[in-house]
Amino acid sequence: MAAINEIACLHGLAVIEDAAHAIEAWYGGRKAGRLGDAAVFSFYATKNLATGEGGMLVTDSDAIEEKVRVRSLHGLSRDAWKRYSAEGFKPYEVLYPGFKYNMMDLQASLGIHQLRRIESSLCVREAQWRTYASEFRGLDTLRIPPEDREVRHARHLFTIELNLAALRISRDRFVEALRAENVGAGVHFTPLHTHRFYRELFGDRRWHLPNAERIGERTVSLPLSPALTVDDVLSVATAVKRVCAYYRR
Ligand SMILES: Cc1ncc(COP(=O)(O)O)c(C=O)c1O
């Protein structure tokens, strides 16, 4: 983040952190969400705090806050949501062509009760993480995420990186093989510039972002959730090792 902030500073850019997965995360002694000019968190159904859809933007900048508040509610002037309050009718105006990106009170009421179990759920996922890390230690067919003393990881996704040189199958076939073992694995993520829309818009720029492409072809996300039992996690690990052994070159 220091390097990104430095580049942004040189070019007069604002840095918006994608903290969608990172509600529990810290980096270099600072909470995720405090590392740039603004940060966005996701409360989509699969996230560690879920309101179905929706999320949160945080910023220390009054200017960004004002802009986002107004644009997120039809571009109406500030406090327009109070227009029918007990204090009587308040005139309001459209200042920009805005969006309807407001979170409903109903959603917030789901989310607010999850706040108190954020840390205990993280503890469960940390234990699952340690299980995977110890089960996969020493395998040369995959790599597990490295640990970094500067980072307190949110443990939202446990992503392995396949060593395709040691396997006879592609990542997509590996995911299918796991599914056949009754393990729902995912891919986070396919690099943006390799999606059809961006290929058609900007031309085929594969090989321009070699790290994103290398990881995009090798990454697999394994189940990680407080809803899983210890046995569930062990059986996922067994299935991964079985698929690795079967398709080893
Ligand atoms: C890394 C990342 N950023 C952004 C988003 C978008 O979040 P939302 O679906 O709440 O718009 C997601 C959603 O899965 C995500 O995984």
Side-chain angles (χ1 to χ4, degrees), residues 189-232:
F189 295 95
T190 302
L192 205 55
H193 66 294
T194 65
H195 283 271
R196 191 200 303 173
F197 174 77
Y198 294 102
R199 284 199 325 266
E200 286 177 0
L201 193 64
F202 297 118
D204 193 340
R205 295 193 175 222
R206 267 172 282 183
W207 321 116
H208 282 221
L209 295 165
N211 289 328
E213 286 160 26
R214 184 178 53 76
I215 293 167
E217 282 169 5
R218 289 165 175 77
T219 190
V220 178
S221 314
L222 301 180
L224 196 70
S225 156
L228 297 175
T229 64
V230 172
D231 282 350
D232 289 337

Side-chain angles (χ1 to χ4, degrees), residues 37-49:
D37 297 285
V40 284
F41 293 84
S42 170
F43 300 151
Y44 176 63
T46 56
K47 300 298 192 294
N48 297 337
L49 188 153

Side-chain angles (χ1 to χ4, degrees), residues 89-100:
F89 175 76
K90 299 237 170 56
Y92 60 91
E93 263 190 306
V94 172
L95 305 178
Y96 308 98
F99 307 94
K100 188 150 187 358

Side-chain angles (χ1 to χ4, degrees), residues 109-122:
S109 69
L110 289 177
I112 204 161
H113 295 288
Q114 294 169 43
L115 288 174
R116 70 175 89 93
R117 60 168 199 254
I118 290 269
E119 289 296 315
S120 57
S121 297
L122 172 62

